[in-house]
Structures are given as C-alpha cells and as structure tokens.
C-alpha cells in the first residue's frame, strides 16, 4: 500500500519552471503551492487509492495439452526506483543496461503471483509457486511465462540486477530450476524462441565472457555531421535514434547475440555458430533447420533498428549457415507507407517441407505507383539450393501469413490502404488453388468474420486451428445490441460457415479452446462477476456451463457503478455512441459535472462509423490511468465517446475540425437530454491522439469548460511526414497541417487546460517538447494552464507513484474548474 507515499524529487531540478495552476491566486501563493507540489507525489481519493492497490485480476493460460491451467497475476504498476535503473536508448530501442531487458517488460510484465492447477478439476488444490523466495528481496522479478509445446513444462524469465535468466518449471509439481550459465539477450527481440521439439529450443543469449561495454569518450574527437544527396527519404519523427559513433558501438555491443540450444530435461546448453546481431530465430519443419535474421552495419541516425540492413539465412541445427536467403539494404528512399522493393517479411514453414516463405514488392515498394499487383508470395524449398518459386500475386499490399494446422493450407491477407480494406485468401500450399474467404473494411464490426483461433503445435509453432474439417474463427460478434463473442467453423472444402457457439445475452463469454472431448472452454464474465473459466457442451445454445475458476471483485463499489451504451446521431446524420458511467451515489435527475473522454477514428464510410462495440455484460475493470476512476469521485464520465472522421483516405483530415466539433456538440446535447449532465460543466479529455483532439476542440469551440490533454502532439509541423492516418507530407498539405496545429491557435484557448506528459515519451511525434511549447505559448498569451511532467515516464505511465499522481491531478483539475460534481447549480 502506498497510502502515505511522499517521494522527494531533488534531482529533477528542471521541473522548477513547469506549469502552475492558474486559479487567480496571488504570486506568493502560487510559488508556495508550486514548491510543495514539486517535492511530493500526491495520491488520489481513498476509494481510488484502494482500487489502484488491489491485486490485478488473474490471466488464464491453458497448457497446449489442455491438462493444466496457470493463473497469472501481473504486477499492476512499476515504481520510480525501477524506472530509474540505467536505461539505454538506442535506434528506437529502450532496454535495461545491466540485463538487456526491454524497459516496457520491466514496467508492465512483472509477475506478482503464479498458481498452477489441473484444468478440469476445480476441486483440485492449487500449486502456489513461491516466486517471492527467488526475488532476492524484491531486487529481481519473474516475467514472460510460456508453456512448452507438450504442456509438461513451462518457462519463466527472471531479471536480476545483472542479467535476464531462463528458468524451467514442472507443470505438475511446480518445481522451478534455473538454466545455469545462460544469460538471455532481449535487446533486439524479447521472447524469441525456436522450439525444436517439446524439450529442446534455440534462443538468443549474451555472448559468453562478453567484454565490458564501450565507454563514452570524455572529450569529443570530431564534429557530428549528417549529409543528404538529393534523394528523398521521408521519415516519421522517431524517438531514441542513434546520435553518435559511441551510440553505434553501444548498440553493436548489446545487440550481439549467441544462438544457444537448450535441453529442458538436462538443462544443458550448447552455443551454435558465431555471434551476430540476431533479432529473430525460427525452426524450420521438424528440427530440420533454423531460419535466422540479423542486422548489420551501416547504421542510420534517422531510422530505427528495424530499418537497418538485414541478412536472412538458413542454418543447420548446429548453427552452420546453409544458404544466405536475402540481404536487405538500409531502408532509405522509401515512400511514406512504402516498403523495400526486394524480399521482406520471412516465414519459417512449420510443415515437414521446412520451406522458407517471403514477400517481394511488384510496384517498386511505392504505394503511389500504379500496378496490377503490389506483392507476390515466394517459397524456397529444402535443401535450399534451388531457385525460389512464386506462389501467389496480390493486388494489394501483403499483410500476414498464417499456416493452418492441416499442413496443407495457409491464410494470406492483404490490405488496401486507400480504401482501408482487407482481403484474405485460403491458399493450398502445394496444389496452388486459391479462394477468397474474407473481404471487408478494416473498420467493419457487425459483419466481421472473426480471426483464426490459434494453437501451439507439437513442434512449438503457432498454427490456425481446424476442427471437423473446418477452420475455427473467433470474433467479437458486434451488433447494435452490443458484443456477443462467437466461434465459427469455416469449411476448407466449400467455404461455408457454421456457427458453433455464441455468447448469451446475459453474460459475456469468449471462446478459448475446444477440448479433446468436444466441450468448449470459455472465459465468462458479467457486470457483477470478474472473468472466470467455464466449460460447456459445444453447439448447444443455452447449455449449462460449469465454472472452473472464480475471481473475487477487487472492490465492492464497482458493482454499484451504472453503465449504459448510448446511441445517437450528430447533425449530419452520422451515428455516434458513448458509454455513460454514473457514480455509485448518483440519483435520478441529477445533472452533474461531466468528463468526455474520446479518441478520433477515421472512416471512409459513414455507416461503419456508427457501428457499436462493447458489451454491458462485461465486468468494469478499470486500468490505473483510466479516467473512469473519476466516476468514484462523483463525476459522470462519457467514455469512448466516438469521434468519427468520415471521408476519403487521401483527404479525410481536410474537415477534421468541423467533424470533431459536430461530434462534440452531439455528445453534450445527448448527455443533457438524458438529464445526467450539466452542459455548462463539461470537460474534454484524451490521451495521445485524443489529447490532440481535445486541445483542438478548446482552440476552435466554446463547448467545454476545461480540458485534460495527456501525452499529445499539438504542432503538426514537428511531424512533417505524416501522422496517424494522414498520408500527405507538410509540403503537400501545408494548410491542413497548420489548421490542425492547435499550437498556432493558442490565443483562442480561453478554457483552463491541464497538460500531462511523460518525461521520456518514446512515441513517434509526441515528444515532451509538444506539451512544453504549448504550455509556454499558453503562458505567453495569458491562458490558464498547468503542465505536469512525469519524471522517467514514457508515452504510457507505469510507476505507481505517477499513476496515483495523475489521478490526483485530474480530480483536482475538475474540482477546480467544474466544481463539486454533486453541486447541482
């Protein structure tokens, strides 16, 4: 519990000039308030604090053999001490300097509790795996649970002060054993495992007896020079790029990996071949060969590591190279939303043929070029000495390849970016026959066919699952009445579809597995009951289900929150919706202060914009940063309020301001009609692109009393080569970029604005400077604003101290500018 948390921040001296709350207070009062607030982290109301400190609801992980169940509770938050560990930021990567573990895993992936039990026996005692005894007093933590293909063992990784280790667990006894002498290398690829069989795998490890990391030169020995030579190479605005030759040496040092074979029975390891900067390793067929991918020099100071030169190779199981499949160049000179013209996206066949698949562009990689076909799918067969053959030509850009577990088919998907459309084909891998199975808008909800249900094969490959001669498809089952998840079977013979299961109207049930006896395993929840595992007879509507697990609600007040999906139209006829959340103490007829929280989405079809999603039968499980926490402080919250931007993909942003204005007015009018909202006390808020939307609404309308903007981008000239779905560059659509930059209209923002940003935001385009400059502009033009910079936080905030403080900031801001939510004016 952090109920009395006071964290001093003496080393963040730059916070001394951050934004102060403009409430008409005297300067001396402001200075005193600022001094106090800059030295402590505040905490939200006691009720919200209790909810933040409640354990996370467990994740249910079923073993591949469907015999065992792992109940996994993740640590809900990190800590500032964890975030303050030395971190390297290189080529778009962020990882722990000592262990190489990606920062995001350390922030959100730590396991707080692990329990094991037989899947189908709810009366059987649970094995509580005591991870705390192996955590070195909290200095280490376990993460990244995964099952072995046969379900008899499981893997865990443990990050210590100096390394990231591999541990192997027994599914029956729960015994954990460390693989000694092995330090995983996760700098370029976390969890990259090639299963050879149920008890052997190949992974990426640190080089044995690795030398010390290169030291930063005390004195620069040369200027930093960049040069361009007349070739256009538009790049998004990325964070954490390489900047110096020392950065290059550091990346090379930490990215250098050793292919390592691990026997889970004996815990013996064997190093394979020479070290390289590997980022992917996959098994081909049934232990026939390995497919590896690695980056090479030259590096770039304007691209992330994924766009560095790459070498793709087929290797023997002992690591010896059999053939170089492809050598990809540095991805420079590629059009916006374009691809490299040569081979890319490599796949290892899980079938006995052990073939290598990849994709090649037929339009030069440029989406602006006219072409009958944009991509083709290629295959290289074992023993990898011949020429690759073409299997399929795609009219649009390739998206994905999924192998089917019958060993004969694969699902191939393509995307039409201009139409925001997707199409999927069922491809016979050897016969060559092709049949279109899905063809729909990327925004389609009501007629969405679902996605393949995946399973792990005996060889450790994830495959699209078949059952009774058909491909299993699971989907959300969206409809005007809400989501009702389903399980369908798509015939591989004639393409007909049979519905095997659909959730009832009184619960929300997600299909997970079909058991060996034909029964269905599902995850069920309701408004008052958190998700729990159930088993029932398949294809019998209304069949009674047996509960296998039961989770406790984290807080009794959650049951008293009222939630309703509200549908309506805006003035131009476009359908809209929001989720209305009413506080536990709300009484009919109260028009309360309200927060609207939204995120704009683009559509090329107005009918799709109005399709609903979500279910009233879902358990209200709020994330720590969720503005829904404010419901517990008495505010009405209109969550996920739709802000559809409807138009042609090439010019959809031309009337962005006009459309969000129409939407905002419709939202407020509907909430007023319902009698729950005082239209004179409404705030607008959002995170990331939602923050961008919120500030634009404050700049161009007088609809809201105040605003909250977290981690947004407000000056589009700083993202000149596109943003979100905008395909044009600043120089192609100068007026639109300027129109959509609320920074340039800051003198029109008369409402109080709370700006919150992570100090080390890692998202493209949302660097902290975006909020800092907006605050400075507001200050310089007489606006009312508060700028909160969260030390050590990225685009999403993960430390318990930060999350609690953000909730406190939002509550205080609404109370200051909307008043007491219960005050009926």
């Amino acid at each position: 519990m952090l109920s009395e948390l006071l964290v001093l921040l003496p080393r963040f001296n730059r916070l001394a000039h951050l934004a102060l709350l403009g409430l008409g207070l005297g300067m001396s009062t402001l200075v005193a308030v600022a001094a106090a607030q800059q030295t402590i982290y505040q905490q939200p109301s006691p009720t919200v604090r209790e909810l933040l400190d409640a354990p996370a609801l467990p994740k249910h992980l079923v073993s591949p053999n469907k015999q065992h169940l792992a109940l996994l509770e993740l640590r809900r938050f990190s800590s500032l001490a964890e975030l303050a560990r030395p971190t390297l930021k290189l080529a778009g990567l962020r990882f722990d300097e000592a262990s190489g573990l990606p920062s995001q895993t350390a922030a959100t992936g730590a396991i707080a509790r692990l329990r094991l039990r037989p899947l189908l026996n709810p009366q059987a005692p649970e094995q509580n795996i005591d991870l705390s005894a192996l955590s070195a007093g909290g200095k280490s933590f376990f993460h990244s649970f995964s099952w072995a293909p046969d379900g008899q063992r499981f893997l865990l990784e443990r990050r210590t002060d100096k390394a990231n280790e591999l541990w192997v667990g027994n599914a029956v006894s729960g015994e954990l054993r460390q693989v000694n002498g092995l330090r995983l290398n996760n700098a370029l690829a976390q969890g990259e495992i090639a299963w050879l069989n149920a008890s052997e795998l190949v992974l990426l490890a640190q080089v044995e007896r690795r030398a010390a990391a290169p030291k930063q030169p005390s004195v620069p020995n040369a200027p930093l020079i960049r040069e361009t030579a007349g070739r256009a190479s538009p790049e998004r605005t990325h964070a954490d790029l390489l900047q110096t030759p020392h950065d290059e040496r550091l990346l090379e040092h930490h990215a250098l990996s050793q292919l390592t074979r691990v026997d889970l029975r004996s815990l013996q390891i064997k190093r394979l071949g020479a070290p390289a900067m590997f980022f992917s390793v996959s098994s081909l067929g049934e232990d026939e060969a390995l497919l590896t991918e690695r980056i090479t020099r030259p590096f770039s100071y304007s691209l992330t590591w994924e766009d560095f030169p790459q070498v793709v190779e087929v290797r023997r199981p002992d690591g010896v190279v059999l053939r170089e499949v492809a050598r990809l160049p540095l991805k420079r000179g590629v059009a916006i939303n374009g691809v490299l013209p040569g081979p890319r996206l490599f796949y290892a066949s899980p079938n006995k043929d052990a073939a290598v698949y990849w994709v090649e562009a037929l339009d030069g990689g440029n989406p602006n070029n006219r072409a009958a076909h944009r991509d083709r799918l290629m295959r290289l067969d074992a023993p990898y000495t011949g020429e690759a053959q073409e299997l399929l030509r795609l009219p649009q850009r390739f998206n994905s390849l999924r192998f089917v577990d019958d060993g004969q088919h694969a699902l191939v998907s393509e995307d039409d970016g201009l139409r925001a459309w997707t199409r999927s084909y069922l491809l016979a891998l050897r016969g060559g026959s092709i049949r279109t199975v899905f063809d729909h808008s990327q925004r389609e909800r009501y007629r969405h066919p679902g996605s393949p249900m995946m399973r792990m094969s005996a060889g450790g490959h994830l495959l699209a699952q078949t059952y009774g001669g058909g491909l299993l498809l699971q989907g959300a089952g969206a409809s005007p009445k809400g989501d009702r998840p389903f399980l369908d079977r798509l015939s591989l013979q004639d393409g007909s579809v049979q519905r095997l299961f659909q959730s009832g109207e009184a619960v929300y049930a997600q299909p997970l597995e079909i058991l060996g006896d034909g029964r269905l395993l599902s995850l069920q929840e309701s408004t008052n009951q958190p998700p729990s595992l159930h088993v029932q007879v398949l294809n019998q509507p209304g069949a009674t289900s047996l509960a296998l697990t039961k989770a406790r609600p984290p807080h009794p007040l959650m049951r008293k929150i009222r939630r309703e999906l509200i549908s309506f139209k805006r003035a131009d006829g476009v359908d809209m919706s929001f989720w209305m959340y009413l506080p536990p103490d709300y009484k009919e007829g109260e028009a309360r202060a309200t927060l609207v929280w939204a995120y704009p989405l683009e559509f090329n079809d107005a009918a799709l914009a109005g399709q609903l999603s979500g279910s009233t039968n879902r358990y209200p499980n709020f994330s720590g940063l969720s503005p829904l926490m404010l419901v517990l402080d008495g505010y009405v919250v209109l969550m996920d309020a739709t802000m559809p931007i409807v138009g042609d993909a090439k010019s959809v942003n031309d009337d962005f301001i006009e459309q969000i204005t129409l939407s905002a007015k419709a939202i407020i009018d509907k909430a007023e009609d319902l009698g729950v909202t005082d239209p004179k006390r409404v705030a607008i808020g959002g995170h990331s692109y939602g923050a961008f939307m919120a500030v634009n609404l404050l700049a161009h309308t007088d609809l809201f009393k105040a605003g909250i903007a977290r981690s947004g981008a407000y000056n589009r000239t700083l993202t000149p080569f596109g943003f979100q779905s905008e395909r044009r560059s600043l120089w192609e659509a100068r007026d639109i970029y300027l129109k959509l930059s609320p920074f340039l209209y800051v003198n029109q923002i008369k409402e109080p604005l709370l700006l919150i940003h992570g100090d080390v935001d890692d998202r493209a385009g949302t660097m902290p400077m975006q909020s800092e400059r907006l605050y400075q502009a507001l200050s310089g033009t007489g606006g009312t604003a508060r700028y909160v910079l969260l030390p050590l936080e990225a685009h999403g905030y993960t430390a318990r101290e930060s999350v609690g403080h953000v909730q406190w900031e939002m509550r205080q801001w609404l109370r200051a500018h909307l008043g007491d939510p219960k005050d009926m004016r």
Side-chain angles (χ1 to χ4, degrees):
M1 294 285 290
L2 300 174
S3 58
E4 302 298 329
L5 180 66
L6 297 178
V7 181
L8 300 179
L9 301 174
R11 68 192 191 91
F12 297 103
N13 295 325
R14 66 184 182 284
L15 295 181
H17 69 274
L18 297 185
L20 304 179
L21 178 61
L23 293 175
L25 302 177
M27 182 56 67
S28 60
T29 304
L30 279 175
V31 170
V33 171
Q37 292 179 1
Q38 287 169 15
T39 57
I40 63 173
Y41 280 90
Q42 302 288 348
Q43 287 301 306
S45 63
T47 302
V48 173
R49 197 179 311 172
E50 284 182 37
L51 197 56
L52 290 179
D53 293 329
L57 292 174
K59 294 180 178 294
H60 301 76
L61 304 177
V62 179
S63 64
N65 64 357
K66 303 172 186 176
Q67 298 297 312
H68 306 286
L69 173 66
L71 294 164
L72 199 69
E73 293 177 19
L74 296 180
R75 188 173 64 188
R76 291 192 67 190
F77 307 107
S78 183
S79 67
L80 286 175
E82 177 63 47
L83 298 185
R85 284 176 59 92
T87 300
L88 292 177
K89 304 169 186 177
L90 302 168
L93 297 163
R94 288 188 182 180
F95 54 87
D96 184 67
E97 184 176 12
S99 67
L101 189 69
S103 301
Q104 187 63 26
T105 301
T108 61
I111 299 173
R113 188 183 183 195
L114 172 61
R115 293 169 287 156
L116 299 174
R117 46 157 282 190
L119 174 62
L120 298 176
N121 185 358
Q123 282 74 43
E126 294 180 346
Q127 292 268 7
N128 189 29
I129 312 302
D130 189 3
L131 301 179
S132 60
L134 301 170
S135 64
K139 295 181 180 179
S140 303
F141 63 84
F142 284 89
H143 63 94
S144 303
F145 177 98
S146 62
W147 286 107
D150 63 357
Q152 299 303 313
R153 300 178 183 85
F154 60 90
L155 303 182
L156 283 171
E157 297 178 28
R158 184 178 77 155
R159 200 216 65 191
T160 69
D161 274 346
K162 297 181 179 179
N164 193 42
E165 305 165 343
L166 182 67
W167 290 64
V168 181
N170 184 293
V172 177
S173 69
E175 178 191 10
L176 281 175
R177 296 188 297 164
Q178 182 185 352
V179 180
N180 292 314
L182 179 68
R183 293 186 173 193
L184 302 177
N185 192 340
N186 304 100
L188 290 184
Q190 181 178 354
E192 194 66 28
I193 292 177
W195 287 97
L196 304 178
N197 51 62
S199 58
E200 290 184 287
L201 55 87
V202 174
L203 45 68
L204 305 180
Q206 287 187 9
V207 176
E208 191 177 18
R209 293 185 291 276
R210 186 170 72 170
K215 291 186 177 181
Q216 173 76 48
S218 57
V219 178
N221 56 16
L224 300 177
I225 299 172
R226 301 185 189 184
E227 185 175 356
T228 186
R231 183 185 181 189
S233 187
E235 307 295 347
R236 297 277 182 163
T237 309
H238 295 290
D240 305 332
L241 298 176
L242 298 178
Q243 299 184 45
T244 67
H246 175 64
D247 285 349
E248 294 186 55
R249 292 190 291 270
L250 274 178
L251 176 64
E252 200 162 36
H253 172 83
H254 287 278
L256 194 65
S257 291
Q258 176 74 63
L259 293 172
T260 304
R261 187 164 182 153
V262 181
D263 188 317
L264 302 185
R265 296 161 300 190
S266 65
L267 301 187
Q268 296 299 304
I269 63 174
K270 181 180 180 181
R271 293 176 172 84
L272 310 175
M277 290 183 284
F278 295 107
F279 65 89
S280 176
V281 56
S282 306
S283 59
L284 284 159
E286 300 174 356
D287 197 8
E288 272 96 306
L290 298 171
L291 179 66
T292 62
E293 300 176 69
R294 56 187 174 91
I295 61 170
T296 67
R297 284 180 176 270
F299 300 150
S300 169
Y301 289 10
S302 60
L303 299 169
T304 60
W305 72 273
E306 294 102 328
D307 295 331
F308 290 175
Q310 299 174 9
V311 178
V312 183
E313 295 156 321
V314 175
R315 297 168 181 263
R316 292 191 329 214
D318 61 3
V320 174
V321 175
L322 289 173
R323 175 170 172 169
E324 181 180 294
V325 177
R327 189 171 286 265
L328 284 63
L330 189 70
K331 191 181 177 183
R332 287 192 59 82
V334 175
I336 295 175
N337 296 320
V339 298
L340 286 170
R344 71 183 198 279
L345 299 176
F346 298 84
Y347 294 85
S349 171
N351 303 319
K352 293 181 179 180
D353 61 8
V356 179
Y357 293 78
W358 68 82
V359 182
E360 293 181 1
L362 296 172
D363 60 356
N366 189 338
N368 300 314
N369 292 340
R370 290 190 175 184
H373 296 90
R374 296 208 173 273
D375 278 330
R376 64 177 181 174
L377 181 65
M378 307 293 292
R379 183 180 71 219
L380 176 66
D381 287 319
Y384 319 109
T385 54
E387 295 298 317
Q389 60 177 300
E390 180 181 306
L391 298 183
L392 172 67
R393 290 196 169 206
L394 298 169
Q396 303 300 332
R397 188 67 72 210
F398 172 89
N399 175 272
S400 66
L401 171 68
R402 292 187 179 99
F403 294 99
V404 179
D405 67 2
D406 68 350
Q408 302 175 39
H409 296 88
L411 279 173
V412 181
S413 298
E414 65 175 4
D415 288 338
D416 182 347
L418 287 178
R419 294 176 60 212
W421 202 266
T422 188
R423 184 179 294 113
S424 296
Y425 306 92
L426 184 66
L427 171 67
L429 294 174
R430 292 295 163 178
S433 65
I434 303 165
R435 183 171 69 244
T436 301
V437 288
F438 310 137
D439 193 10
H440 57 85
S441 168
Q442 293 171 358
R443 296 293 193 197
E444 178 63 54
R445 295 189 181 108
Y446 290 173
R447 297 187 304 107
H448 196 286
S451 301
M453 178 178 280
M454 308 299 287
R455 72 171 184 87
M456 180 181 278
S457 71
H461 296 272
L462 279 180
L463 305 175
Q465 185 174 353
T466 57
Y467 175 76
L471 187 68
L472 291 178
L473 302 172
Q474 52 189 356
S479 75
K481 295 183 179 180
D483 290 357
R484 292 179 58 199
F486 66 82
L487 180 66
D488 284 352
R489 177 169 55 198
L490 172 73
S491 171
L492 296 177
Q493 297 299 318
D494 59 16
S496 61
V497 176
Q498 177 189 5
R499 180 136 300 177
L500 301 179
F501 167 82
Q502 184 154 26
S503 176
E505 296 184 355
V507 297
Y508 184 86
Q510 303 175 69
L512 298 181
E513 303 270 1
I514 295 181
L515 302 177
D517 60 7
R519 290 186 297 169
L520 176 70
L521 189 69
S522 65
L523 193 64
Q524 294 191 17
E525 59 187 287
S526 65
T527 303
N528 296 320
Q529 183 58 47
S532 59
L533 274 185
H534 285 244
V535 65
Q536 67 185 73
V537 177
L538 186 64
N539 203 17
Q540 287 189 15
T544 303
S545 65
L546 171 67
L548 301 178
T549 64
K550 187 174 182 179
R552 266 199 270 172
H555 198 287
L557 269 182
M558 299 299 287
R559 297 184 177 185
K560 298 182 179 180
I561 293 174
R562 291 173 53 189
R563 175 182 52 175
E564 186 177 353
L565 179 60
I566 305 296
S567 303
F568 52 99
K569 291 182 183 291
R570 69 185 190 190
D572 61 356
V574 173
D575 289 314
M576 295 181 58
S577 65
F578 57 67
W579 282 92
M580 180 178 69
Y581 286 79
L582 302 179
D585 63 350
Y586 179 82
K587 297 177 182 178
E588 291 297 329
E590 291 181 341
R592 291 201 180 190
T594 298
L595 172 66
V596 176
W597 199 265
Y599 190 97
L601 291 175
E602 300 84 1
F603 298 86
N604 56 16
D605 185 341
L608 294 175
Q611 291 185 352
L612 305 179
S613 64
S615 170
T616 55
N617 293 322
R618 302 212 67 172
Y619 184 76
N621 186 28
F622 301 165
S623 69
L625 284 174
S626 174
L628 290 173
M629 293 287 188
L630 293 164
V631 175
L632 298 175
D633 288 327
Y635 292 93
V636 171
V637 176
L638 308 182
M639 191 68 181
D640 295 329
T642 55
M643 287 278 179
I645 313 299
V646 182
D648 182 82
K650 293 181 179 179
S651 57
V652 68
N653 283 322
D654 287 4
D655 57 356
F656 180 91
I657 300 299
E658 292 78 8
Q659 292 205 48
I660 62 172
T661 300
L662 280 175
S663 296
K665 187 176 188 312
I667 291 167
I668 295 174
D669 288 348
K670 185 61 179 180
E672 183 182 11
D673 289 345
L674 292 170
V676 300
T677 293
D678 178 353
K680 296 181 180 179
R681 294 194 297 154
V682 181
I684 182 68
H687 190 98
S688 194
Y689 204 55
F692 162 76
M693 170 214 69
V695 179
N696 266 305
L697 282 169
L698 295 182
H700 296 284
T701 76
D702 296 316
L703 296 170
F704 297 96
K705 188 73 179 293
I708 300 173
R710 301 188 328 206
S711 299
Y714 315 109
N715 184 347
R716 284 303 167 195
T717 68
L718 298 178
T719 57
F721 293 110
F723 58 90
Q724 207 72 3
S725 64
E726 179 57 60
R727 303 169 183 278
R728 300 164 294 185
S729 73
L730 168 63
W731 299 275
E732 294 170 315
R734 185 191 306 268
D735 291 345
I736 300 304
Y737 273 71
L738 299 181
K739 180 182 177 181
L740 297 188
S741 295
F743 175 82
L744 301 179
Y745 296 89
V746 74
N747 60 310
Q748 298 178 187
I749 299 178
K750 305 303 181 183
E751 299 80 12
L753 176 60
L754 172 63
L755 293 165
I756 303 176
H757 219 115
D759 181 38
V760 288
D761 194 311
D762 55 347
R763 190 65 59 87
T766 57
M767 62 286 286
M769 180 176 65
Q770 291 274 9
S771 288
E772 182 179 350
R773 293 292 185 266
L774 183 63
Y775 168 74
Q776 290 174 340
L778 285 164
S779 176
T781 56
T784 300
R786 178 179 176 87
Y787 176 28
V788 180
L789 189 64
L790 299 171
L792 304 173
E793 295 288 1
H795 192 67
Y797 326 134
T798 61
R800 171 62 179 82
E801 300 94 324
S802 303
V803 171
H805 189 86
V806 167
Q807 290 293 348
W808 181 86
E809 290 282 359
M810 294 195 298
R811 178 178 186 269
Q812 294 300 108
W813 195 251
L814 294 188
R815 290 188 71 86
H817 298 290
L818 301 187
D820 187 331
K822 303 176 187 177
D823 182 12
M824 302 299 116
R825 299 180 182 179

